[in-house]
Amino acid sequence: MSVELSNESGLSAPEGMLIHVAQFALDQMRVNPAAELSMLLVDTTTMAHLHQQWMNLPGPTDVLSFPMDDAEPDGRPDAVEAAQTLLGDIVLCPEVAAEQAEAAGHSAEHEMIVLTVHGVLHILGYDHAEPEEEAEMFALQGKLVDRWYLSLKAQAKAEALGRRDTKLLRSVGLDAEGDG
């Protein structure tokens, strides 16, 4: 899964984590691994302009998604024919995300992670215009974010165990391959 991210917001952002969570969400949604996604982080002025231009709504918003109309043959991003296709673009505003995070009582990093997954789901055709759609999309979004955090914990645990094992092997005179 290729995710390209460009930060034009002028603010520091957890770019590696955003790429990783986008790739994770796409993988969990069984999108063809050859598919590509573009992410752009922008300032509030740029986001307000895009929000007005594309949604006819004033002021900046947190995230906008622009799926490619022809990116999914037969509506299936996991189809073999979807290889090498551009899924679309996600535009995220870190400043708006930080404001929302403060209001919600969690970190701006977490808010941007949630918004990235939200954007991925929009790219894949999910919406929240109707109550039933909203319930489905936000439940899936929550599950994906929770799974991603669990995968990070599992990875950290495995790395810690690996370091412990390497240290133990060295203390008894063996290298990591088990030979001296």
Side-chain angles (χ1 to χ4, degrees):
M1 210 71 55
S2 173
V3 176
E4 298 291 326
L5 186 144
S6 179
N7 187 351
E8 298 176 8
S9 71
L11 299 173
S12 177
E15 296 172 23
M17 291 185 108
L18 298 180
I19 290 169
H20 188 261
V21 74
Q23 290 171 328
F24 180 86
L26 291 167
D27 183 59
Q28 290 288 300
M29 296 302 294
R30 302 191 193 293
V31 173
N32 188 304
E36 299 175 6
L37 176 69
S38 174
M39 292 182 65
L40 179 63
L41 308 183
V42 298
D43 59 28
T44 55
T45 302
T46 303
M47 186 59 101
H49 173 75
L50 291 170
H51 199 211
Q52 181 66 48
Q53 179 181 359
W54 295 101
M55 304 298 289
N56 202 27
L57 295 170
T61 189
D62 49 11
V63 65
L64 290 170
S65 297
F66 300 95
M68 298 298 279
D69 291 333
D70 60 351
E72 302 162 349
D74 300 323
R76 302 238 347 146
D78 57 344
V80 174
E81 298 84 18
Q84 303 294 332
T85 193
L86 178 61
L87 297 171
D89 302 301
I90 296 172
V91 182
L92 193 138
C93 185
E95 190 174 340
V96 173
E99 292 168 3
Q100 290 178 175
E102 186 175 338
H106 55 247
S107 73
E109 180 179 277
H110 174 73
E111 186 73 15
M112 286 187 276
I113 287 164
V114 171
L115 292 173
T116 297
V117 172
H118 188 85
V120 166
L121 291 176
H122 274 308
I123 289 289
L124 298 178
Y126 287 85
D127 201 358
H128 47 84
E130 300 297 326
E132 301 81 26
E133 294 173 334
E134 181 177 5
E136 178 185 10
M137 182 174 177
F138 281 85
L140 181 55
Q141 175 182 300
K143 285 180 188 176
L144 290 170
V145 170
D146 289 348
R147 285 182 194 161
W148 182 73
Y149 278 120
L150 286 172
S151 77
L152 289 183
K153 287 180 184 178
Q155 180 181 353
K157 183 177 180 178
E159 289 171 1
L161 289 173
R163 286 190 302 274
R164 184 202 66 191
D165 291 349
T166 298
K167 184 178 178 181
L168 179 62
L169 289 171
R170 286 187 183 141
S171 72
V172 295
L174 300 173
D175 61 22
E177 282 76 41
D179 48 346

